[in-house]
Amino acid sequence: MPTPTRGPRLGGSPAHERLMLANLATSLFKHGRITTTETKAKRLRPLAEQLITKAKRGDLHARRQALSVVRDKDVVYTLFDQIAPRFSNRHGGYTRIVKKGPRKGDAAPMAIIELVEELEVAAAPKAPRKTARKAAKADSIAVLAGDEAEETPAVAAADTTPDEASEEAPAEDAKKDDETKA
């Protein structure tokens, strides 16, 4: 739990505040986003981020500490096995608070608190341009030097259009069949 604040505790006792925040955290981890008042969202953020950090640790002690706050075992399982791996390469900032506007009944300022999306890890870097340029330059030099007959099959196939390639392929297969029969 974060350090307690002085003054009123969300309209109740410290124990009631602790239980309310535990219920809000449970709902946040179960649904991914919840709508609540701005004050409750601001109080919930440090607790939720500490629980996600414990879930990233993943050991038994961290699981028991999370179970002392979030009483639902299914939600703790979701927290440790689905939510924590999403944030494995993020060092904090797991939640986002978006202000929504006043509530209709009592004009209380409302907010949406949600889990942010995981960071995208760059998949496979594209081939550097230098190597593509070098390959193109080597091909042009080979053409200028008169090595056209020594072109690779990939280059020769790239020079033909798809229609020509489809027409040539059956003819080559027929020649191979004739040579094997003879």
Side-chain angles (χ1 to χ4, degrees), residues 101-161:
R103 186 163 47 196
K104 187 173 182 182
D106 59 354
M110 298 298 287
I112 297 172
I113 183 167
E114 59 188 355
L115 299 173
V116 298
E117 296 299 318
E118 68 271 8
L119 290 176
E120 296 293 328
V121 179
K126 295 181 180 177
R129 287 186 167 186
K130 290 183 179 179
T131 57
R133 287 181 187 162
K134 287 181 182 178
K137 189 174 182 180
D139 289 342
S140 64
I141 290 174
V143 170
L144 292 175
D147 295 338
E148 292 178 7
E150 298 177 10
E151 285 184 20
T152 60
V155 174
D159 292 340
T160 61
T161 61

Side-chain angles (χ1 to χ4, degrees), residues 23-98:
N23 288 336
L24 286 170
T26 302
S27 297
L28 176 64
F29 296 138
K30 185 185 289 185
H31 303 292
R33 80 168 43 185
I34 56 172
T35 302
T36 184
T37 62
E38 285 182 21
T39 308
K40 288 179 185 175
K42 287 178 182 178
R43 293 276 183 94
L44 174 61
R45 173 184 262 174
L47 176 65
E49 296 205 359
Q50 286 177 3
L51 287 172
I52 293 172
T53 303
K54 288 176 185 174
K56 282 173 55 178
R57 245 183 24 213
D59 57 349
L60 180 62
H61 182 62
R63 189 174 292 266
R64 286 180 175 163
Q65 285 180 325
L67 273 169
S68 70
V69 176
V70 178
R71 302 294 170 109
D72 190 356
K73 289 183 181 179
D74 294 334
V75 174
V76 172
Y77 175 81
T78 304
L79 175 64
F80 274 74
D81 292 342
Q82 294 172 6
I83 295 173
R86 275 182 26 192
F87 298 116
S88 61
N89 57 352
R90 184 183 278 264
H91 302 291
Y94 312 118
T95 57
R96 171 188 307 131
I97 296 176
V98 180

